[in-house]
Amino acid sequence: MPRAFTIALATAVLWALYLVITRFVISRAGLDPWAYTLVQLLVGGLVIFWLGRKAPGDWRGLFTPWMVSYGIVRVGVTGASSAALGWLMATQSTLLSTANVLMGALAALLVHRIAPPHSERVALALLALGLSVLILCLVPDTAYYGALWLLASEIGVVIAALAVEKHPRNRSNSVAERSRFTAETLIITSMVLIVAWSLAGAVGLMRSPWAAGGDAFGNPLLWAWGVATGLVFRGPGQWLTFYTLRHVGTQAYLIALMLMPVFVIVIELGASRAGWVAPPRLSTGEWVGTALILAAAVWLMWARLRTAR
């Protein structure tokens, strides 16, 4: 198996574990999801920035149009995915997120004029069928709201991945340069997040982080979890994601992530035995959709690995 594809699978495991932990932190510990995200973005960015400290650059690199646009897209992704988790289980959300493979194939066709190989077209059709069955069988009915938010989030994921894949700084042979670039994307995302949160609070869409009597950042538990997940997941996960995009491209990276539902189900079962989260419960129809999605995932991975030989 190619090294980059192996790293992509390891990244999928990392993000799956992160997703289950986030579900526990937000639902059981009652932490503010925006503040929790902001802390881990900053911590992850600062750690990766230290790795890239020898690369040339200054603070003005944070405010280029590309960086600011990337930050806006990523904050949109974060907001939509956070909203989705309010209606969906982690297992449901990761299954629905495989829709980004279809979006990636469509983007490759529209942007690069590259049609999916014949060996992948049936698998993509099988994926579309599995997603359709899953969405039609979602339980409870309110999960449809989460599905809409999740699909909106995945559109942003594909756009951001395509932008990173082709960026000259991510194509650099210098590890320090790539690390600095990765760190800057995390830091600018945190800046856009606090601005968006403040504006949303100012117009009454949510509680402002600066509201009198608020406790967005005053909870020591939030800082402990935010720093830990930033160090262990957010920073390394972003770096590995950018590495994989550089070596195998957006579509292959998204295909590797299709095994995330398997990892999430296994991790959730283990976490539920410890009493940390509720066990994953899917209806019969959802399990049928899951089987179709995972069959498509295995097919697509086999096709990619066969081509890479």
Side-chain angles (χ1 to χ4, degrees), residues 48-62:
I48 301 300
F49 191 84
W50 183 84
L51 295 176
R53 64 192 183 282
K54 294 183 179 180
D58 55 43
W59 62 269
R60 287 173 293 187
L62 282 171

Side-chain angles (χ1 to χ4, degrees), residues 6-48:
T6 303
I7 291 176
L9 290 176
T11 306
V13 174
L14 192 71
W15 286 129
L17 186 57
Y18 165 80
L19 190 62
V20 175
I21 288 175
T22 295
R23 180 187 171 198
F24 165 76
V25 168
I26 292 176
S27 63
R28 294 297 181 92
L31 304 183
D32 187 299
W34 287 79
Y36 168 69
T37 301
L38 184 62
V39 171
Q40 58 179 272
L41 283 170
L42 276 173
V43 171
L46 291 174
V47 169
I48 301 300

Side-chain angles (χ1 to χ4, degrees), residues 283-307:
S283 66
T284 301
E286 286 175 310
W287 279 117
V288 172
T290 299
L292 293 171
I293 290 170
L294 295 181
V298 172
W299 188 329
L300 286 167
M301 289 181 192
W302 171 82
R304 284 292 167 128
L305 291 173
R306 183 185 179 190
T307 302

Side-chain angles (χ1 to χ4, degrees), residues 4 9 68 111 129 149 153 157-158 175 231 238 242 246 262 282:
L9 290 176
V68 174
V111 177
L129 176 62
W149 279 113
S153 170
V157 167
V158 173
V175 175
L231 287 172
Q238 188 91 330
F242 283 18
R246 176 176 183 262
V262 176
L282 300 178

Side-chain angles (χ1 to χ4, degrees), residues 2 12 59 73 149 170-171 175 196 204 225 227 235 237-238 247 260 262 278:
W59 62 269
V73 170
W149 279 113
N170 196 50
R171 309 297 299 179
V175 175
W225 277 110
V227 170
Q238 188 91 330
H247 287 278
M260 266 188 68
V262 176

Side-chain angles (χ1 to χ4, degrees), residues 93-108:
S93 68
T94 51
L95 286 166
L96 288 170
S97 69
T98 59
N100 59 30
V101 174
L102 296 176
M103 298 174 189
L106 179 61

Side-chain angles (χ1 to χ4, degrees), residues 8 44 67 69 90 174 227 232:
M67 276 290 175
S69 298
S174 168
V227 170
V232 177

